[in-house]
């Protein structure tokens, strides 16, 4: 029978004693970072613009939903931007509708008082 064990004076190379060329290289943090989804940033920007111009909040909501779908498919970064755009957009739409309802109620009340006072 032949002896297949390595000679006693030369130990087997272990992972710790391997040279730098044998170790797998890992990409740097900048290479592994996913790009931020542009639609998510647009969603947030449109929702912020919705503070001044209410219809822009609708664009923020639409872009936010599209961005979250793209982020799930592609694995992009920016889900928090899209979510913030959605929350702000829905909040602004709700406040706008509440304001319109209050304004309409005040107008109905005012015209009702005027109709019964004459």
């Amino acid at each position: 029978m032949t002896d297949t064990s390595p000679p006693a004076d030369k130990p087997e190379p272990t992972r710790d004693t391997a040279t730098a060329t044998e170790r797998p290289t890992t990409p740097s943090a900048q290479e592994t970072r996913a790009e931020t989804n542009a639609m998510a940033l647009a969603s947030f920007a449109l929702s912020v613009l919705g503070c001044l111009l209410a219809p822009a909040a609708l664009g923020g909501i639409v872009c936010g939903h599209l961005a979250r779908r793209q982020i799930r498919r592609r694995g992009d970064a920016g889900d928090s931007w899209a979510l913030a755009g959605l929350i702000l957009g829905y909040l602004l739409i709700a406040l706008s509708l509440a304001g319109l309802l209050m304004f309409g109620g005040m107008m109905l009340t005012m015209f009702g008082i005027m109709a019964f006072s004459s």
Side-chain angles (χ1 to χ4, degrees):
M1 262 200 224
T2 60
D3 187 20
T4 59
S5 62
D9 59 338
K10 284 189 171 183
E12 279 189 32
T14 61
R15 184 169 262 214
D16 296 334
T17 60
T19 62
T21 57
E22 293 176 4
R23 291 186 184 168
T25 57
T26 57
S28 66
Q30 290 180 351
E31 293 173 6
T32 58
R33 188 168 64 184
E35 278 190 42
T36 304
N37 190 299
M39 189 78 74
L41 295 175
S43 167
F44 185 73
L46 284 171
S47 293
V48 169
L49 184 63
C51 293
L52 302 174
L53 191 64
L58 286 173
I61 291 170
V62 171
C63 287
H65 283 292
L66 292 174
R68 291 195 79 190
R69 185 175 353 145
Q70 287 177 358
I71 289 168
R72 280 193 302 269
R73 283 186 187 166
R74 298 182 197 165
D76 292 343
D79 188 53
S80 57
W81 287 104
L83 185 61
L86 282 170
I87 291 170
L88 187 58
Y90 278 122
L91 182 66
L92 289 172
I93 294 296
L95 289 174
S96 297
L97 289 176
L100 283 174
L101 287 174
M102 288 178 58
F103 178 75
M106 287 182 358
M107 289 295 116
L108 286 175
T109 302
M110 188 171 69
F111 285 124
I113 292 172
M114 288 172 47
F116 289 115
S117 65
S118 51

